[in-house]
């Protein structure tokens, strides 16, 4: 039985003052919600704050990217070990905003995925098709290619230490969420594809849906058999909205 997981992706938002309020509100809101798991992925400068405020609570924290290298002459990069130093559980890998705006590729995402696992972090590996790709009926081709970029290199077994996230680009930040049926169809495809390599891993891997998840649409999404939680952007910036999604996960 897979436990639901709700992860907030704060992206490039927040401040010390705003985070204090957000973290406190989320911790208070989920303190008694024991049936699911919760986390916030914060910008690097706030990892220390996340660690000092959230340790001991049932809210984990993580980062939104990492560099695959350890200790290197690489200005501006942050290594897996540095994230471990700050108590991160999760790290988002291959988010579409980084793939598109920062030219990350299947290759770089796969290398980061492996580096995260080697360091003991849980990568949240993002996949998803654009609007044009969906309209051309390429969804399975694109998502399958992204998934294969890690399975082919590292094997399906590594997915026991990872979380997958289906985030259709046309739903991220748009207020046009996938319907529960649309999301379920792709989640089922992803699980079947993992099952081709290892049925047990497929049964246990958590696949999150991301793209305009809100308190209102979360229950119907979470009722789908292959949707194991959510990766939440905008609604993770406000404690009440994020806690509403966590409550929906806790109730399933
Ligand atoms: C995201 O960027 O991961 C995301 C799901 O954003 P939003 O919830 O704002 O659509």
């Amino acid at each position: 039985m897979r436990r639901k997981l709700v992860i907030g992706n704060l992206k490039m938002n927040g401040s010390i003052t705003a985070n204090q309020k957000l973290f406190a509100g989320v911790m208070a809101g989920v303190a008694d919600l024991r049936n699911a798991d919760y986390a916030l992925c914060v910008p690097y400068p706030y990892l220390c704050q996340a660690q000092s405020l959230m340790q001991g609570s049932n809210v984990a924290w993580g980062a939104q990217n990492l560099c695959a290298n350890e200790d290197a002459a690489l200005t501006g990069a942050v290594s897996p070990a540095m994230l471990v130093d700050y108590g991160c559980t999760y790290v988002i890998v291959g988010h579409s905003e980084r793939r598109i705006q920062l030219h990350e590729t299947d290759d770089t995402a796969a290398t980061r995925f492996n580096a995260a696992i080697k360091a003991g972090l849980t990568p949240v590996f993002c996949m998803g098709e654009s609007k044009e790709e969906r309209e051309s009926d390429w969804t399975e081709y694109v998502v399958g290619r992204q998934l294969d970029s890690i399975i082919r290199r590292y094997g399906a077994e590594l997915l026991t230490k990872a979380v997958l996230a289906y985030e259709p680009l046309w739903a991220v930040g748009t207020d046009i969420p996938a319907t529960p049926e649309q999301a379920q169809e792709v989640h089922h495809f992803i699980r079947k594809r993992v099952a081709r390599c290892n049925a047990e891993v497929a049964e246990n891997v958590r696949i999150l849906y991301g793209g305009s998840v809100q308190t209102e649409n979360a229950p119907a999404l979470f009722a789908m058999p292959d949707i194991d939680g959510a990766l939440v952007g905008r609604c993770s910036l406000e404690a009440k909205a994020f806690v509403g999604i966590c409550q929906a996960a806790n109730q399933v």
Side-chain angles (χ1 to χ4, degrees):
M1 181 68 180
R2 299 181 297 270
R3 268 169 80 83
K4 295 273 191 268
L5 168 63
V6 181
I7 301 182
N9 173 11
L10 271 58
K11 308 194 184 184
M12 199 172 66
N13 292 295
S15 65
I16 289 178
T17 311
N19 296 345
Q20 264 161 2
K21 191 169 163 227
L22 175 67
F23 298 170
V26 171
M27 284 189 292
V30 307
D32 295 327
L33 307 183
R34 296 286 158 184
N35 300 327
D37 299 320
Y38 319 101
L40 292 173
C41 287
V42 307
Y44 292 141
Y46 303 126
L47 284 174
C48 182
Q49 187 189 20
Q51 183 178 37
S52 71
L53 295 183
M54 296 199 282
Q55 62 190 344
S57 78
N58 63 336
V59 184
W61 60 94
Q64 301 167 16
N65 184 39
L66 81 171
C67 178
N69 300 27
E70 285 297 347
D71 292 346
L74 205 47
T75 304
V78 172
S79 73
M82 292 171 186
L83 301 186
V84 173
D85 260 353
Y86 283 98
C88 290
T89 300
Y90 299 100
V91 57
I92 298 171
V93 170
H95 192 280
S96 57
E97 286 155 7
R98 297 195 62 89
R99 288 182 190 260
I100 294 167
Q101 297 175 49
L102 299 169
H103 313 294
E104 286 190 6
T105 61
D106 286 349
D107 254 4
T108 55
T111 316
R112 287 167 206 220
F113 170 88
N114 188 45
I117 291 180
K118 271 170 59 190
L121 298 158
T122 301
V124 181
F125 186 79
C126 300
M127 300 166 284
E129 81 287 3
S130 67
K131 183 167 177 280
E132 294 71 28
E133 288 162 344
R134 172 162 280 261
E135 286 168 357
S136 310
D137 218 7
W138 287 2
T139 300
E140 293 193 353
Y141 168 76
V142 172
V143 172
R145 191 202 71 219
Q146 292 167 334
L147 180 61
D148 286 353
S149 75
I150 50 174
I151 294 182
R152 286 232 177 90
R153 282 180 179 79
Y154 306 115
E157 288 64 34
L158 230 49
L159 292 177
T160 54
K161 298 178 178 163
V163 170
L164 297 174
Y166 170 56
E167 293 214 310
L169 275 56
W170 48 271
V172 171
T174 60
D175 287 328
I176 307 170
T179 64
E181 293 74 21
Q182 282 173 320
Q184 165 60 25
E185 195 180 11
V186 182
H187 282 231
H188 183 64
F189 164 76
I190 293 169
R191 203 176 299 286
K192 258 186 9 208
R193 191 135 177 148
V194 176
R196 282 197 324 203
C197 304
N198 188 318
E200 195 186 339
V201 172
E203 187 49 36
N204 291 318
V205 68
R206 292 194 280 194
I207 309 173
L208 311 184
Y209 166 75
S212 300
V213 177
Q214 300 163 1
T215 308
E216 294 71 25
N217 61 6
L221 286 161
F222 294 163
M224 291 290 153
D226 290 299
I227 299 183
D228 304 313
L231 183 54
V232 181
R234 285 157 299 163
C235 281
S236 67
L237 299 177
E238 210 248 303
K240 188 164 173 256
F242 188 69
V243 169
I245 297 168
C246 296
Q247 283 166 338
N250 182 63
Q251 272 162 22
V252 179

